[in-house]
Amino acid sequence: MSHMISEPDSARGEQHEGVTTWIAVFAACVGQFVVVLDISVINVALPSIRGGLGIGAGSLQWVVNAYVITFAGFLLLGGRASDLFGRKAVFVFGLGVFTTASLMGGLATSPWMLIVARALQGLGAAVLSPGTLTILTTTFPEGTGRVRAIATWTAVGTGGGAAGGVIGGVLTDYLSWRWVLLINVPLGLIVIAASAVWLAEGRTRQAGRRQLDVPGAVLATLGAGCLAYGISRTESHGWGSAPALGFLLLGVVALGAFIAVERRAAEPLTPLGVFRVRSVSVANIITMVSGMAFYAMWFFLSLYMQNVLKYSAVETGLALLPHTLAVILSAQLAPRITRWIGGRALLTLAGVLTAAGFFWQAAMKADGTFLITLLGPGVAFSFGAGVMMTLQSVFATTGVPPQQAGVVAGLVNTSRTMGGALGLSVLSSLAAGRTERAGTGLEALTSGYASAFFGSGVVIVLSMALIVLLPRSPRNPAPP
């Protein structure tokens, strides 16, 4: 009799464990999906947001930058918070902040309200994002199950980036730009409820001895934000003006204070010792410089398609799909190509292709076509960018001990994102100045966007000049 009773109990236990496991996969994947989605989905809605809230051309970049800067500034802090407070608590908290901020942004009635909401979204995403991968690695033991879970997580994250333009276009055209943000609310509530009930808690054994480097995260975010805002002020006030110089100076002081804090922190956000490894320091500089061009390309392409070529939001999202697919394909091919070409040589070739694509895109005209004006140069710089980002990550994580692998992996993501925020400010100021000098009309707008792409090409060339400082790498390096 006892055997007959225990067997169903055991089956129910295994079934419950299986349900709990897949709830963990679901929570992690949806969390990663909305984080990646919100980086790309907003771009196609920018013209509608500008018209709906009356945001000036110079301030429009902050709908993107407010998210990007806070996300990058608090990303490493989010990972440490999971160790200190437990993955479930931090995951649910981050998702709660992200969901609330999405509701606030979707209901925004003024530009400042939307920008504040986007900054809070970035904070929530920074807390949420590291926990999505931690949930999988602590739920699944090493083996086939973990590999499958991480493969699903990776595919969903990549799909979020690829689908962002299309989803944003459909929501903007058929509902409203507000639904680009409001769509996160029901998704967030479902995942919060599922996580609260099914997700198991967990924290590391060292959690009690760890300290959370909040001052470091605040100073890093403040420094990057002030530099980006100071650069954006040069558009209307000039480089020598008090508003521009004041914020630029404050940004430099904040970053100097960040370095001082990191030197003395018991558990620094960024252990400065990792920069003694040449591959780490040089690769992060290259990543930050080249990142100034990568984030801006989606921003200006979306504006050019809708403001000049008069594409709808849906058409813009579909037109951006080849660019996204080119990045995904080249990132997958890069480790295979290094079997025949060394890492530094391949990074140089990828830089040449990327820069050539940007210079080609800078020849855009007001009467451009999809095949000639968009597809050709877009696939060129997107394919090159995918290879560059992959190899930069490989170099930036080479030569460090295993216990610092997570730190340097987070550092390269932070460098790329911070570079993107600063680059968007610089190139937006460049484009606005060129448009103002060119006059009015579609030709003037096009010349401004073209100058931004030309500037992106120059940025890539500058980043390539640093490749010679990288150490020689073995062929076929391990993927990051």
Side-chain angles (χ1 to χ4, degrees), residues 372-463:
I372 302 300
T373 311
L374 296 175
L375 187 61
V379 169
F381 65 66
S382 297
F383 192 93
V387 176
M388 286 189 72
M389 288 188 285
T390 301
L391 292 179
Q392 286 164 2
S393 297
V394 171
F395 276 110
T397 54
T398 298
V400 295
Q403 61 267 28
Q404 292 183 328
V407 172
V408 295
L411 182 61
V412 71
N413 288 327
T414 302
S415 297
R416 182 176 295 122
T417 309
M418 285 295 190
L422 295 174
L424 188 55
S425 295
V426 172
L427 296 174
S428 292
S429 297
L430 180 65
R434 175 60 181 166
T435 298
E436 185 178 352
R437 290 191 298 272
T440 59
L442 298 182
E443 290 289 351
L445 275 178
T446 303
S447 66
Y449 301 146
S451 67
F453 281 103
F454 186 86
S456 297
V458 172
V459 165
I460 296 299
V461 172
L462 292 175
S463 71

Side-chain angles (χ1 to χ4, degrees), residues 317-357:
L318 292 173
L320 288 173
L321 274 181
H323 301 66
T324 307
L325 294 176
V327 172
I328 296 172
L329 176 63
S330 63
Q332 297 299 315
L333 290 176
R336 295 173 174 83
I337 299 175
T338 53
R339 296 172 183 171
W340 302 282
I341 304 176
R344 288 202 314 185
L346 182 57
L347 184 57
T348 302
L349 292 174
V352 171
L353 180 61
T354 306

Side-chain angles (χ1 to χ4, degrees), residues 40-60:
S40 60
V41 74
I42 201 74
N43 284 313
V44 297
L46 289 173
S48 297
I49 291 173
R50 181 181 178 184
L53 294 181
I55 301 179
S59 300
L60 191 63

Side-chain angles (χ1 to χ4, degrees), residues 48-339:
S48 297
I49 291 173
R50 181 181 178 184
L53 294 181
I55 301 179
S59 300
L60 191 63
Q61 59 174 295
W62 286 97
V63 177
V64 178
N65 261 356
Y67 182 96
V68 170
I69 290 175
T70 52
F71 176 70
F74 289 95
L75 187 60
L76 295 177
L77 187 71
R80 290 194 181 276
S82 294
D83 292 330
L84 184 60
F85 301 110
R87 65 178 187 271
K88 176 178 178 178
V90 171
F91 179 82
V92 172
F93 173 77
L95 192 55
V97 172
F98 185 88
T99 303
T100 303
S102 298
L103 178 63
M104 177 182 171
L107 300 178
T109 56
S110 62
W112 71 265
M113 187 176 178
L114 176 60
I115 291 172
V116 169
R118 289 286 290 168
L120 290 174
Q121 268 192 315
L123 174 61
V127 175
L128 164 67
S129 182
T132 60
L133 184 57
T134 304
I135 286 172
L136 297 182
T137 57
T138 53
T139 300
F140 292 88
E142 292 185 8
T144 304
R146 178 184 289 188
V147 172
R148 289 176 179 173
I150 293 178
T152 303
W153 175 84
T154 303
V156 169
T158 304
V166 178
I167 293 174
V170 170
L171 293 174
T172 301
D173 273 354
Y174 296 106
L175 293 174
S176 164
W177 66 263
R178 296 181 181 276
W179 280 98
V180 170
L181 299 169
L182 293 175
I183 190 65
N184 295 320
V185 177
L187 283 174
L189 292 176
I190 291 172
V191 178
I192 288 173
S195 302
V197 174
W198 294 100
L199 198 61
E201 186 54 277
R203 66 182 70 191
T204 65
R205 294 179 181 177
Q206 296 179 341
R209 297 196 297 270
R210 288 199 155 193
Q211 299 179 13
L212 202 57
D213 186 16
V214 175
V218 171
L219 288 170
T221 306
L222 178 64
C226 287
L227 286 178
Y229 188 74
I231 293 169
S232 70
R233 290 292 82 192
T234 62
E235 172 193 334
S236 55
H237 295 83
W239 285 95
S241 64
L245 288 177
F247 279 101
L248 291 174
L249 180 61
L250 180 59
V252 172
V253 170
L255 291 179
F258 167 74
I259 294 175
V261 167
E262 297 306 280
R263 287 181 180 276
R264 293 170 174 80
E267 288 287 345
L269 191 68
T270 305
L272 300 181
V274 299
F275 290 107
R276 297 191 186 99
V277 181
R278 186 166 57 134
S279 60
V280 173
S281 55
V282 176
N284 272 280
I285 294 173
I286 296 174
T287 298
M288 179 172 287
V289 174
S290 63
M292 295 175 68
F294 293 153
Y295 272 81
M297 67 187 185
W298 309 106
F299 181 84
F300 291 109
L301 274 178
S302 297
L303 293 179
Y304 171 69
M305 290 181 195
Q306 295 185 68
N307 291 339
V308 177
L309 300 184
K310 303 304 179 184
Y311 283 15
S312 68
V314 171
E315 290 171 335
T316 300
L318 292 173
L320 288 173
L321 274 181
H323 301 66
T324 307
L325 294 176
V327 172
I328 296 172
L329 176 63
S330 63
Q332 297 299 315
L333 290 176
R336 295 173 174 83
I337 299 175
T338 53
R339 296 172 183 171

